[in-house]
Amino acid sequence: MGQYEALIAAAKKARENAHAPFSNFRVGAALRAQSGRVFTGCNVENATLGLTCCAERVAIFKAVSEGERGFDAIAVVADTDALTPPCGACRQIIWEFCGDVPVILANLKGKVVEETSGALLPHPFDSSFL
Ligand code: THU
């Protein structure tokens, strides 16, 4: 698990930028590309609520928009005792851009659990069906 320390620290730092005035629920994510670069994201809320973008998707879209393809792992940090997992929309996007990768869930108290995107989204729809 020590191999994810830097990724968790990056997600924790990104969480500080969360724009969450409506839920006050702040999330940070950090995505490690196969190139070695790390891309971070925080949740960005909006007054219509429905246009909110989760931390995980912000990190992935940032990386993709920078030309990155191929990712090793993603870390998600929130201030919850029960570790916060990615929502359904994010599971789909993680699967499509990252495949079956470790999804590291952590909180501010140092609790860390390693899941995988494959386990979080069984029987996924993706481009292999198109
Ligand atoms: N949120 C994330 O950014 N990632 C998650 O994994 C769960 C939920 C955000 C969306 C919204 O801004 C707030 O947390 C409450 O749902």
Side-chain angles (χ1 to χ4, degrees), residues 22-100:
F22 305 105
S23 72
N24 282 318
F25 191 83
R26 304 162 80 80
V27 185
L31 176 70
R32 192 168 67 207
Q34 282 165 7
S35 66
R37 289 177 74 191
V38 169
F39 294 84
T40 60
C42 61
N43 52 328
V44 182
E45 297 185 348
N46 153 277
T48 69
L49 306 180
L51 295 178
T52 290
C53 196
C54 294
E56 297 90 323
R57 273 175 290 152
V58 170
I60 292 170
F61 294 158
K62 277 172 68 178
V64 170
S65 73
E66 295 290 316
E68 289 286 347
R69 298 292 187 275
F71 302 99
D72 279 341
I74 185 166
V76 184
V77 172
D79 187 19
T80 52
D81 286 334
L83 298 176
T84 297
C87 76
C90 288
R91 292 177 198 209
Q92 178 70 28
I93 296 299
I94 293 168
W95 177 262
E96 288 198 41
F97 283 104
C98 308
D100 195 7

